[in-house]
Amino acid sequence: MIDLRSDTLTQPTPTMRQAMANAKVGDDVFEEDPTLKKLEALAAKKTGKESALFVPSGTMGNLISVLSHCQRGDEVLLGDRSHIFLHEVGGMSALGGVHPRTLPNNEDGTLPLPLVEQSIRKLDIHYPLTRLICLENTHNHCQGSPLSPEYMASMAALAEKHGLKIHLDGARLFNAAVALDIEVEALTRHADSVMFCLSKGLSAPVGSLVCGDRNFIQRARKNRKMVGGGMRQAGHLAAAGLIALENMVERLKDDHLHAGLLAEKLASIDGIELDQTQVKTNIIFFKLNHPKIDGDTFLTLLEERSIKILMVDPGVFRAVLHREVSREQVQTVAQTIHSILIEQYK
Ligand code: TLP
């Protein structure tokens, strides 16, 4: 099976499995797990923050970040295509009483600065208090676009002017840094808090990190406990995370090259609509526009040929490149799609 549904499907490497088995561990609720502490220190260093906290998932990392920045009734500005808004079960409002105010994302995942500024609430008895801006880098549902450090800096200046905080959903932060050929810190310096995932292209089995200043991470630690994310011998997971951070970042370039190659091939197939200039990291979106095949049939035909992708809207598909998809497999995927759409169902 060539599984392009997500980079979350990556299996831990043999080295990770060995490191997990042999990890020195302790009880992390007592803050006594040496391997976990090492991972948190490395994450803080890479993002240029004072402190970091290991969490089981990106969703929990984003949730506790919002809870640690906001009080009940506060308002958060975020994109209408952001993962936090679309795919995190409304956690900020359900569990935190925090009010999400969505603004339309530009195609490249940015939020228009004038619109953000206009949307900040004035002090008025009728209004909630605008507290936080959430950005996403890379932006999953905007073609996996990386947000530039210049854009992040302009948003940071705006936030500072109005006394707001910025949280960065950096589930694929390392993809952004690799695509832009910069250090991660050049992006994270413009955010007060950042969450990044180890369990996507970096191939660790479980885990994400939340990074920020010491006080923020103290609050986040307590909020993590509140939502049941305090873990015990989590160093077994951190051992894989250390390898992810130390050895798996550079290879993300391969995924980006493979995504570019797949996009180029798909763009030339009749019945596929895809703007290959938009593909900058490991995520591709395309539309199916074929007289004889609808989205569900297309998925079934692909699965019969051992290929899986995601249908995100009727007739709209996402393919994500990752460590377990080789260049040859990219060719196979392109040829198979070509043969389904062109040869068999003319
Ligand atoms: N995204 C997953 C699924 O939710 C769809 C994926 O396959 O892309 N932020 C962003 C930008 C994400 O893409 C994801 C996961 C998360 C947060 C949440 O991470 P997890 O899955 O660890 O809770």
mmCIF file of all heavy atoms in Angstrom, residues 40-75:
data_model
loop_
_atom_site.group_PDB
_atom_site.id
_atom_site.type_symbol
_atom_site.label_atom_id
_atom_site.label_comp_id
_atom_site.label_asym_id
_atom_site.label_seq_id
_atom_site.Cartn_x
_atom_site.Cartn_y
_atom_site.Cartn_z
ATOM 1 N N GLU A 40 12.689 18.124 26.150
ATOM 2 C CA GLU A 40 12.108 19.458 26.357
ATOM 3 C C GLU A 40 13.197 20.537 26.256
ATOM 4 O O GLU A 40 12.962 21.606 25.677
ATOM 5 C CB GLU A 40 11.376 19.520 27.700
ATOM 6 C CG GLU A 40 10.085 18.688 27.662
ATOM 7 C CD GLU A 40 9.340 18.580 28.990
ATOM 8 O OE1 GLU A 40 9.947 18.843 30.060
ATOM 9 O OE2 GLU A 40 8.162 18.209 28.968
ATOM 10 N N ALA A 41 14.376 20.234 26.775
ATOM 11 C CA ALA A 41 15.464 21.219 26.690
ATOM 12 C C ALA A 41 15.869 21.440 25.231
ATOM 13 O O ALA A 41 16.097 22.575 24.794
ATOM 14 C CB ALA A 41 16.666 20.738 27.513
ATOM 15 N N LEU A 42 15.922 20.365 24.466
ATOM 16 C CA LEU A 42 16.301 20.496 23.047
ATOM 17 C C LEU A 42 15.240 21.290 22.271
ATOM 18 O O LEU A 42 15.564 22.135 21.434
ATOM 19 C CB LEU A 42 16.496 19.097 22.436
ATOM 20 C CG LEU A 42 16.931 19.067 20.972
ATOM 21 C CD1 LEU A 42 18.287 19.761 20.771
ATOM 22 C CD2 LEU A 42 17.015 17.617 20.460
ATOM 23 N N ALA A 43 13.973 21.007 22.581
ATOM 24 C CA ALA A 43 12.880 21.722 21.889
ATOM 25 C C ALA A 43 12.942 23.217 22.220
ATOM 26 O O ALA A 43 12.788 24.064 21.331
ATOM 27 C CB ALA A 43 11.533 21.148 22.303
ATOM 28 N N ALA A 44 13.188 23.536 23.491
ATOM 29 C CA ALA A 44 13.276 24.947 23.891
ATOM 30 C C ALA A 44 14.434 25.608 23.153
ATOM 31 O O ALA A 44 14.305 26.725 22.631
ATOM 32 C CB ALA A 44 13.452 25.048 25.402
ATOM 33 N N LYS A 45 15.544 24.902 23.078
ATOM 34 C CA LYS A 45 16.724 25.475 22.416
ATOM 35 C C LYS A 45 16.433 25.730 20.932
ATOM 36 O O LYS A 45 16.714 26.805 20.411
ATOM 37 C CB LYS A 45 17.895 24.492 22.577
ATOM 38 C CG LYS A 45 19.193 25.012 22.078
ATOM 39 C CD LYS A 45 20.354 24.159 22.557
ATOM 40 C CE LYS A 45 21.563 24.518 21.730
ATOM 41 N NZ LYS A 45 22.283 23.379 21.210
ATOM 42 N N LYS A 46 15.860 24.742 20.268
ATOM 43 C CA LYS A 46 15.617 24.881 18.820
ATOM 44 C C LYS A 46 14.639 26.014 18.513
ATOM 45 O O LYS A 46 14.754 26.663 17.473
ATOM 46 C CB LYS A 46 15.039 23.592 18.240
ATOM 47 C CG LYS A 46 16.046 22.459 18.234
ATOM 48 C CD LYS A 46 16.070 21.744 16.893
ATOM 49 C CE LYS A 46 17.109 20.653 16.880
ATOM 50 N NZ LYS A 46 18.087 20.736 15.855
ATOM 51 N N THR A 47 13.661 26.231 19.395
ATOM 52 C CA THR A 47 12.671 27.281 19.131
ATOM 53 C C THR A 47 13.063 28.613 19.779
ATOM 54 O O THR A 47 12.335 29.601 19.652
ATOM 55 C CB THR A 47 11.271 26.855 19.646
ATOM 56 O OG1 THR A 47 11.381 26.516 21.040
ATOM 57 C CG2 THR A 47 10.728 25.665 18.887
ATOM 58 N N GLY A 48 14.186 28.620 20.489
ATOM 59 C CA GLY A 48 14.658 29.860 21.118
ATOM 60 C C GLY A 48 13.762 30.315 22.263
ATOM 61 O O GLY A 48 13.651 31.509 22.534
ATOM 62 N N LYS A 49 13.104 29.361 22.935
ATOM 63 C CA LYS A 49 12.226 29.726 24.062
ATOM 64 C C LYS A 49 12.854 29.275 25.376
ATOM 65 O O LYS A 49 13.758 28.434 25.393
ATOM 66 C CB LYS A 49 10.847 29.051 23.899
ATOM 67 C CG LYS A 49 10.126 29.405 22.617
ATOM 68 C CD LYS A 49 9.715 30.865 22.580
ATOM 69 C CE LYS A 49 9.073 31.243 21.249
ATOM 70 N NZ LYS A 49 9.128 32.674 20.992
ATOM 71 N N GLU A 50 12.344 29.815 26.490
ATOM 72 C CA GLU A 50 12.927 29.470 27.794
ATOM 73 C C GLU A 50 12.644 28.028 28.184
ATOM 74 O O GLU A 50 13.439 27.380 28.849
ATOM 75 C CB GLU A 50 12.321 30.362 28.887
ATOM 76 C CG GLU A 50 12.921 31.743 28.933
ATOM 77 C CD GLU A 50 12.251 32.624 29.985
ATOM 78 O OE1 GLU A 50 11.303 32.202 30.673
ATOM 79 O OE2 GLU A 50 12.700 33.771 30.083
ATOM 80 N N SER A 51 11.481 27.542 27.751
ATOM 81 C CA SER A 51 11.018 26.288 28.318
ATOM 82 C C SER A 51 10.136 25.541 27.313
ATOM 83 O O SER A 51 9.626 26.149 26.365
ATOM 84 C CB SER A 51 10.203 26.662 29.559
ATOM 85 O OG SER A 51 10.245 25.680 30.524
ATOM 86 N N ALA A 52 9.962 24.243 27.550
ATOM 87 C CA ALA A 52 9.107 23.446 26.649
ATOM 88 C C ALA A 52 8.412 22.352 27.440
ATOM 89 O O ALA A 52 8.844 21.981 28.538
ATOM 90 C CB ALA A 52 9.944 22.841 25.524
ATOM 91 N N LEU A 53 7.326 21.865 26.884
ATOM 92 C CA LEU A 53 6.503 20.857 27.548
ATOM 93 C C LEU A 53 6.073 19.811 26.532
ATOM 94 O O LEU A 53 5.544 20.145 25.465
ATOM 95 C CB LEU A 53 5.245 21.551 28.113
ATOM 96 C CG LEU A 53 4.292 20.691 28.919
ATOM 97 C CD1 LEU A 53 4.877 20.399 30.311
ATOM 98 C CD2 LEU A 53 2.940 21.419 29.080
ATOM 99 N N PHE A 54 6.291 18.540 26.869
ATOM 100 C CA PHE A 54 5.893 17.442 25.986
ATOM 101 C C PHE A 54 4.402 17.167 26.175
ATOM 102 O O PHE A 54 3.917 17.097 27.307
ATOM 103 C CB PHE A 54 6.709 16.198 26.347
ATOM 104 C CG PHE A 54 6.459 15.012 25.459
ATOM 105 C CD1 PHE A 54 6.940 14.973 24.159
ATOM 106 C CD2 PHE A 54 5.762 13.902 25.939
ATOM 107 C CE1 PHE A 54 6.728 13.864 23.341
ATOM 108 C CE2 PHE A 54 5.541 12.786 25.135
ATOM 109 C CZ PHE A 54 6.028 12.774 23.836
ATOM 110 N N VAL A 55 3.687 17.014 25.068
ATOM 111 C CA VAL A 55 2.244 16.691 25.138
ATOM 112 C C VAL A 55 1.966 15.533 24.180
ATOM 113 O O VAL A 55 2.708 15.318 23.223
ATOM 114 C CB VAL A 55 1.358 17.914 24.760
ATOM 115 C CG1 VAL A 55 1.405 18.998 25.818
ATOM 116 C CG2 VAL A 55 1.763 18.491 23.402
ATOM 117 N N PRO A 56 0.886 14.779 24.452
ATOM 118 C CA PRO A 56 0.638 13.599 23.622
ATOM 119 C C PRO A 56 0.267 13.912 22.172
ATOM 120 O O PRO A 56 0.509 13.081 21.295
ATOM 121 C CB PRO A 56 -0.530 12.883 24.307
ATOM 122 C CG PRO A 56 -0.833 13.620 25.553
ATOM 123 C CD PRO A 56 -0.027 14.872 25.599
ATOM 124 N N SER A 57 -0.342 15.074 21.916
ATOM 125 C CA SER A 57 -0.785 15.338 20.538
ATOM 126 C C SER A 57 -0.738 16.833 20.243
ATOM 127 O O SER A 57 -0.727 17.664 21.162
ATOM 128 C CB SER A 57 -2.226 14.851 20.347
ATOM 129 O OG SER A 57 -3.094 15.665 21.119
ATOM 130 N N GLY A 58 -0.771 17.133 18.949
ATOM 131 C CA GLY A 58 -0.815 18.527 18.530
ATOM 132 C C GLY A 58 -2.097 19.194 19.006
ATOM 133 O O GLY A 58 -2.102 20.360 19.398
ATOM 134 N N THR A 59 -3.180 18.447 18.957
ATOM 135 C CA THR A 59 -4.465 19.002 19.387
ATOM 136 C C THR A 59 -4.406 19.421 20.847
ATOM 137 O O THR A 59 -4.844 20.517 21.213
ATOM 138 C CB THR A 59 -5.580 17.944 19.162
ATOM 139 O OG1 THR A 59 -5.589 17.595 17.775
ATOM 140 C CG2 THR A 59 -6.937 18.467 19.572
ATOM 141 N N MET A 60 -3.834 18.554 21.689
ATOM 142 C CA MET A 60 -3.731 18.928 23.101
ATOM 143 C C MET A 60 -2.774 20.111 23.278
ATOM 144 O O MET A 60 -3.020 21.003 24.088
ATOM 145 C CB MET A 60 -3.291 17.753 23.981
ATOM 146 C CG MET A 60 -3.383 18.121 25.457
ATOM 147 S SD MET A 60 -2.692 16.924 26.593
ATOM 148 C CE MET A 60 -3.942 15.674 26.614
ATOM 149 N N GLY A 61 -1.707 20.128 22.490
ATOM 150 C CA GLY A 61 -0.744 21.230 22.588
ATOM 151 C C GLY A 61 -1.387 22.567 22.261
ATOM 152 O O GLY A 61 -1.184 23.566 22.961
ATOM 153 N N ASN A 62 -2.184 22.590 21.190
ATOM 154 C CA ASN A 62 -2.871 23.839 20.838
ATOM 155 C C ASN A 62 -3.891 24.214 21.907
ATOM 156 O O ASN A 62 -4.004 25.379 22.293
ATOM 157 C CB ASN A 62 -3.573 23.695 19.481
ATOM 158 C CG ASN A 62 -2.590 23.763 18.311
ATOM 159 O OD1 ASN A 62 -1.543 24.407 18.407
ATOM 160 N ND2 ASN A 62 -2.914 23.099 17.218
ATOM 161 N N LEU A 63 -4.634 23.215 22.389
ATOM 162 C CA LEU A 63 -5.666 23.503 23.392
ATOM 163 C C LEU A 63 -5.048 24.106 24.657
ATOM 164 O O LEU A 63 -5.485 25.156 25.130
ATOM 165 C CB LEU A 63 -6.438 22.212 23.735
ATOM 166 C CG LEU A 63 -7.422 22.352 24.897
ATOM 167 C CD1 LEU A 63 -8.578 23.297 24.549
ATOM 168 C CD2 LEU A 63 -7.972 20.983 25.321
ATOM 169 N N ILE A 64 -4.022 23.453 25.180
ATOM 170 C CA ILE A 64 -3.490 23.976 26.443
ATOM 171 C C ILE A 64 -2.754 25.303 26.225
ATOM 172 O O ILE A 64 -2.676 26.116 27.136
ATOM 173 C CB ILE A 64 -2.641 22.945 27.221
ATOM 174 C CG1 ILE A 64 -1.368 22.615 26.496
ATOM 175 C CG2 ILE A 64 -3.424 21.703 27.564
ATOM 176 C CD1 ILE A 64 -0.451 21.731 27.334
ATOM 177 N N SER A 65 -2.276 25.537 25.014
ATOM 178 C CA SER A 65 -1.670 26.847 24.738
ATOM 179 C C SER A 65 -2.742 27.928 24.809
ATOM 180 O O SER A 65 -2.548 28.975 25.440
ATOM 181 C CB SER A 65 -1.010 26.868 23.356
ATOM 182 O OG SER A 65 0.047 25.939 23.312
ATOM 183 N N VAL A 66 -3.877 27.673 24.159
ATOM 184 C CA VAL A 66 -4.966 28.663 24.204
ATOM 185 C C VAL A 66 -5.427 28.857 25.652
ATOM 186 O O VAL A 66 -5.595 29.984 26.123
ATOM 187 C CB VAL A 66 -6.143 28.236 23.281
ATOM 188 C CG1 VAL A 66 -7.345 29.157 23.479
ATOM 189 C CG2 VAL A 66 -5.707 28.245 21.818
ATOM 190 N N LEU A 67 -5.584 27.735 26.377
ATOM 191 C CA LEU A 67 -6.030 27.843 27.782
ATOM 192 C C LEU A 67 -5.020 28.619 28.628
ATOM 193 O O LEU A 67 -5.393 29.275 29.601
ATOM 194 C CB LEU A 67 -6.222 26.453 28.400
ATOM 195 C CG LEU A 67 -7.318 25.549 27.819
ATOM 196 C CD1 LEU A 67 -7.383 24.226 28.572
ATOM 197 C CD2 LEU A 67 -8.665 26.245 27.852
ATOM 198 N N SER A 68 -3.752 28.524 28.264
ATOM 199 C CA SER A 68 -2.715 29.186 29.065
ATOM 200 C C SER A 68 -2.569 30.666 28.724
ATOM 201 O O SER A 68 -1.981 31.421 29.488
ATOM 202 C CB SER A 68 -1.370 28.472 28.891
ATOM 203 O OG SER A 68 -1.521 27.097 29.193
ATOM 204 N N HIS A 69 -3.074 31.063 27.558
ATOM 205 C CA HIS A 69 -3.033 32.483 27.189
ATOM 206 C C HIS A 69 -4.313 33.208 27.599
ATOM 207 O O HIS A 69 -4.294 34.409 27.827
ATOM 208 C CB HIS A 69 -2.906 32.644 25.661
ATOM 209 C CG HIS A 69 -1.527 32.427 25.135
ATOM 210 N ND1 HIS A 69 -0.448 33.203 25.498
ATOM 211 C CD2 HIS A 69 -1.034 31.521 24.250
ATOM 212 C CE1 HIS A 69 0.636 32.789 24.848
ATOM 213 N NE2 HIS A 69 0.310 31.776 24.093
ATOM 214 N N CYS A 70 -5.445 32.482 27.595
ATOM 215 C CA CYS A 70 -6.761 33.147 27.661
ATOM 216 C C CYS A 70 -7.527 32.815 28.932
ATOM 217 O O CYS A 70 -7.354 31.754 29.524
ATOM 218 C CB CYS A 70 -7.622 32.698 26.477
ATOM 219 S SG CYS A 70 -6.919 33.114 24.885
ATOM 220 N N GLN A 71 -8.436 33.717 29.275
ATOM 221 C CA GLN A 71 -9.440 33.474 30.318
ATOM 222 C C GLN A 71 -10.763 33.131 29.623
ATOM 223 O O GLN A 71 -10.936 33.437 28.446
ATOM 224 C CB GLN A 71 -9.664 34.744 31.144
ATOM 225 C CG GLN A 71 -8.425 35.296 31.809
ATOM 226 C CD GLN A 71 -7.909 34.357 32.886
ATOM 227 O OE1 GLN A 71 -8.679 33.857 33.694
ATOM 228 N NE2 GLN A 71 -6.606 34.104 32.861
ATOM 229 N N ARG A 72 -11.698 32.575 30.374
ATOM 230 C CA ARG A 72 -13.029 32.317 29.815
ATOM 231 C C ARG A 72 -13.607 33.627 29.283
ATOM 232 O O ARG A 72 -13.487 34.671 29.919
ATOM 233 C CB ARG A 72 -13.978 31.741 30.882
ATOM 234 C CG ARG A 72 -13.593 30.369 31.350
ATOM 235 C CD ARG A 72 -14.616 29.793 32.302
ATOM 236 N NE ARG A 72 -15.824 29.374 31.598
ATOM 237 C CZ ARG A 72 -15.942 28.226 30.942
ATOM 238 N NH1 ARG A 72 -14.933 27.378 30.911
ATOM 239 N NH2 ARG A 72 -17.061 27.916 30.333
ATOM 240 N N GLY A 73 -14.227 33.579 28.126
ATOM 241 C CA GLY A 73 -14.861 34.773 27.544
ATOM 242 C C GLY A 73 -13.921 35.590 26.668
ATOM 243 O O GLY A 73 -14.378 36.474 25.952
ATOM 244 N N ASP A 74 -12.622 35.307 26.705
ATOM 245 C CA ASP A 74 -11.697 36.022 25.810
ATOM 246 C C ASP A 74 -11.911 35.575 24.368
ATOM 247 O O ASP A 74 -12.433 34.485 24.112
ATOM 248 C CB ASP A 74 -10.233 35.718 26.193
ATOM 249 C CG ASP A 74 -9.805 36.454 27.461
ATOM 250 O OD1 ASP A 74 -10.536 37.349 27.918
ATOM 251 O OD2 ASP A 74 -8.728 36.109 27.986
ATOM 252 N N GLU A 75 -11.456 36.426 23.451
ATOM 253 C CA GLU A 75 -11.610 36.106 22.027
ATOM 254 C C GLU A 75 -10.248 35.837 21.387
ATOM 255 O O GLU A 75 -9.259 36.496 21.686
ATOM 256 C CB GLU A 75 -12.285 37.279 21.316
ATOM 257 C CG GLU A 75 -12.662 36.971 19.883
ATOM 258 C CD GLU A 75 -13.654 38.007 19.323
ATOM 259 O OE1 GLU A 75 -13.224 39.107 18.977
ATOM 260 O OE2 GLU A 75 -14.847 37.702 19.244
#
